[in-house]
Amino acid sequence: MTTNADGPQQPRPRRRTPAGAAVLREDVTEAIRAAVFEELAAVGYARMSIEGIARRAGVGKTAVYRRWRSKLHLVLDVVSALAVQGLPVPDTGTLEGDLRLLFEVTSRALRHPVASQIIPDLQAEAARNPEIAEAMQKALRDGQEGVASRIVAAAERRGEVRQGFDDELALDLISGPLYWRSVVIRTQKLPKGYLPSLARATAEAIKAL
């Protein structure tokens, strides 16, 4: 309670946070993101709906719309988040060793049942939707290609590759074969010894550039 020349005053009431400014619960946000992956794998982008996502996440549609204003923006956010998470950058001390670890991690991710359903569907949608295409390209650039560029840069610093080599072609050599196997022809099980052989052959090809 405060006083002034006119006598005592009543305590000032505490300001209440407006209901519309409530903090969004992170566990609900993560549940919705997980539901997006599951819904994409189950029905594809074209048939996916906010209602289906909300039902799978165990929340109301309002919870989804408070975070994203449309299905497109929700999917763009989820795809872009993949780029932020990225892949770990191997540091084995050799180009071949780094490539082998990268291929092992990438192979497991691409052959995951959810990823194997989502990636082809989003790529097909990207051909019709420039915003999804841009988000996919960013996810790829900042994901595997970002890691691959650091791997070849480290190899250049160690003197494993010559100065001025074609780094764009090197990235194609790193990213292409495994993507072709796992996403395009969708090989369920890689041949025994495939990843070590791929790492060795890719390392030798990059050194020859």
Side-chain angles (χ1 to χ4, degrees):
M1 185 171 66
T2 59
T3 60
N4 61 17
D6 298 322
Q9 293 180 334
Q10 293 299 316
R12 292 180 182 175
R14 293 182 179 178
R15 244 180 224 181
R16 300 179 63 184
T17 303
V23 176
L24 299 177
R25 288 173 49 186
E26 186 61 28
D27 60 330
V28 172
T29 302
E30 290 307 311
I32 294 171
R33 286 197 174 110
V36 171
F37 282 111
E38 294 170 4
E39 193 75 357
L40 276 171
V43 303
Y45 178 82
R47 294 174 56 197
M48 188 179 75
S49 66
I50 294 295
E51 290 82 357
I53 293 168
R55 183 167 55 250
R56 195 178 288 272
V59 300
K61 289 191 298 182
T62 304
V64 180
Y65 281 118
R66 287 179 65 193
R67 292 161 173 82
W68 300 277
R69 65 178 182 268
S70 69
K71 177 178 78 171
L72 174 60
H73 288 91
L74 174 50
V75 171
L76 291 176
D77 175 67
V78 170
V79 171
S80 298
L82 295 177
V84 176
Q85 294 172 8
L87 295 168
V89 181
D91 186 18
T92 66
T94 68
L95 175 59
E96 182 179 332
D98 288 351
L99 290 174
R100 180 170 176 175
L101 284 180
L102 175 63
F103 290 155
E104 287 174 354
V105 173
T106 304
S107 175
R108 286 197 297 271
L110 290 176
R111 287 187 290 113
H112 189 281
V114 174
S116 65
Q117 292 292 327
I118 289 175
I119 294 174
D121 184 64
L122 284 180
Q123 287 190 316
E125 195 63 35
R128 299 183 289 269
N129 190 313
E131 290 182 276
I132 290 182
E134 184 179 354
M136 288 288 288
Q137 289 169 4
K138 177 176 173 54
L140 291 172
R141 282 196 307 269
D142 295 351
Q144 186 181 19
E145 285 192 9
V147 174
S149 65
R150 281 178 277 179
I151 287 175
V152 295
E156 186 175 15
R157 288 194 299 271
R158 290 192 297 262
E160 291 185 88
V161 297
R162 66 176 182 82
Q163 295 287 326
F165 72 104
D166 190 338
D167 56 346
E168 290 294 328
L169 182 53
L171 295 181
D172 289 343
L173 289 170
I174 294 171
S175 304
L178 193 55
Y179 184 84
W180 172 264
R181 279 264 187 177
S182 301
V183 177
V184 180
I185 63 174
R186 307 185 77 171
T187 301
Q188 294 299 315
K189 187 175 182 180
L190 295 174
K192 185 178 180 179
Y194 176 79
L195 293 180
S197 297
L198 178 61
R200 183 166 53 254
T202 305
E204 291 303 318
I206 292 174
K207 291 176 183 178
L209 294 178

